[in-house]
Amino acid sequence: MPKKLKTYQTSLGFYDQAIAAPSMKAALAAWGASSNLFHQGVARETDDPDVVAATMAKPGVVLRRPVGSDGPFTESAELPTDLGGGETKPKRKSKAESKPTSKKRPARTARNASREIDDAAARKAAAAFEKEERRREAARAKEEAARAKERARRDKAVAAAEAALDKARREHDAKAGAIEAERAALEARAEAEQERWDKQRHKLDQALRRARE
C-alpha cells in the first residue's frame, strides 16, 4: 500500500513552498534543501485545508507563492511585489480592517476540516506521487543505461585500436628482425670474402716477387 501523504510547508528565498509528500525527508529532497529545515524550525507540517487541497491535487510537485502572502499555492508563482523597496512605515489599519472578518478560520476549524479529507482521495494522491517517483527512477535508469552503452562502445573502440596497434607493432618487429638477420649474414659473408681475398692476394704477391727475381 502506498504511504499516506502529508503536506509540508517552508519559506525559501522569495517564496513560501508547499508539497504533498510521504515524509519530511521526501519533502526536503523535493525542495533541494541541504540541511534539515524541520529541525531548524523553518519547515513544518501544515493542516491548512486550502494548502492541503492544493498539494494533494498535485502530489510530489513543489507549489509556491510569494513569501509572506496568503494567496494560493501554484506551480508558477510571481515574485513578491515589495522587493527592493527599502524600509517603509507600516500602514495604519482602519478600524474596519483591524476587526477580524468571517473569512478567517480558527485553528481548530482548520484542523477539523483537514481531518475530513476523503481517504480515497488521499490514497489516490499517494499513488500519483509514487507513480511520479517511478517515472523519475525509470528516466534515471534509462539515462544510466545510455551512459553504460556509450562507455561500452568507447571501450570496444579503444580495445580494437589497441589490438590493431599491437598487431602492426609485431609485424614491424618481425620484419625488422628479418632485415637485421639478413644484414648480419651479409656482414659475415663480406668478412669471409675479405679474409679469402687477403689470403689469395698474399699468395699471388709472393708468386709475383719470385717471378721477378
Side-chain angles (χ1 to χ4, degrees):
M1 292 293 293
K3 293 183 179 179
K4 184 177 180 180
L5 300 184
K6 298 179 181 179
T7 297
Y8 300 99
Q9 185 174 338
T10 187
S11 293
L12 294 174
F14 299 125
Y15 300 102
D16 291 336
Q17 301 189 23
I19 186 173
S23 65
M24 294 180 180
K25 183 178 180 181
L28 291 171
W31 289 332
S34 58
S35 59
N36 193 325
L37 303 179
F38 293 96
H39 288 176
Q40 296 170 7
V42 294
R44 60 186 174 84
E45 180 183 350
T46 181
D47 55 9
D48 185 303
D50 293 335
V51 181
V52 171
T55 57
M56 289 297 179
K58 295 185 176 181
V61 177
V62 177
L63 304 181
R64 298 178 176 85
R65 70 183 179 188
V67 66
S69 70
D70 57 357
F73 281 90
T74 61
E75 289 189 67
S76 56
E78 297 181 354
L79 287 170
T81 58
D82 58 350
L83 292 177
E87 294 184 359
T88 58
K89 294 182 180 180
K91 185 177 179 181
R92 181 177 297 177
K93 295 183 179 180
S94 64
K95 291 182 179 180
E97 291 175 333
S98 63
K99 293 181 180 181
T101 63
S102 59
K103 292 182 179 180
K104 193 172 183 179
R105 300 181 180 87
R108 181 174 299 178
T109 302
R111 286 194 296 270
N112 291 338
S114 66
R115 295 192 187 98
E116 295 174 359
I117 295 176
D118 186 71
D119 288 341
R123 288 193 297 270
K124 183 179 179 181
F129 181 88
E130 291 196 357
K131 182 179 180 181
E132 177 64 16
E133 285 294 300
R134 289 194 297 270
R135 186 194 67 77
R136 293 174 183 171
E137 184 62 30
R140 286 193 292 268
K142 185 176 180 180
E143 291 176 0
E144 179 58 31
R147 286 193 293 268
K149 185 177 180 180
E150 177 60 22
R151 285 196 300 270
R153 184 200 64 76
R154 186 170 56 251
D155 292 345
K156 184 178 180 180
V158 170
E162 290 178 344
L165 178 61
D166 290 341
K167 181 180 179 182
R169 182 182 291 111
R170 289 192 300 270
E171 291 177 352
H172 165 73
D173 291 343
K175 291 179 179 179
I179 292 171
E180 184 62 29
E182 291 176 4
R183 182 186 294 116
L186 287 173
E187 289 179 354
R189 287 174 60 190
E191 290 177 359
E193 176 58 23
Q194 185 65 40
E195 183 178 355
R196 184 198 66 78
W197 165 243
D198 290 341
K199 291 179 179 179
Q200 185 181 16
R201 187 185 60 181
H202 180 69
K203 291 178 179 180
L204 293 174
D205 285 343
Q206 287 180 344
L208 179 60
R209 281 196 300 270
R210 286 193 300 269
R212 288 176 178 174
E213 291 178 352

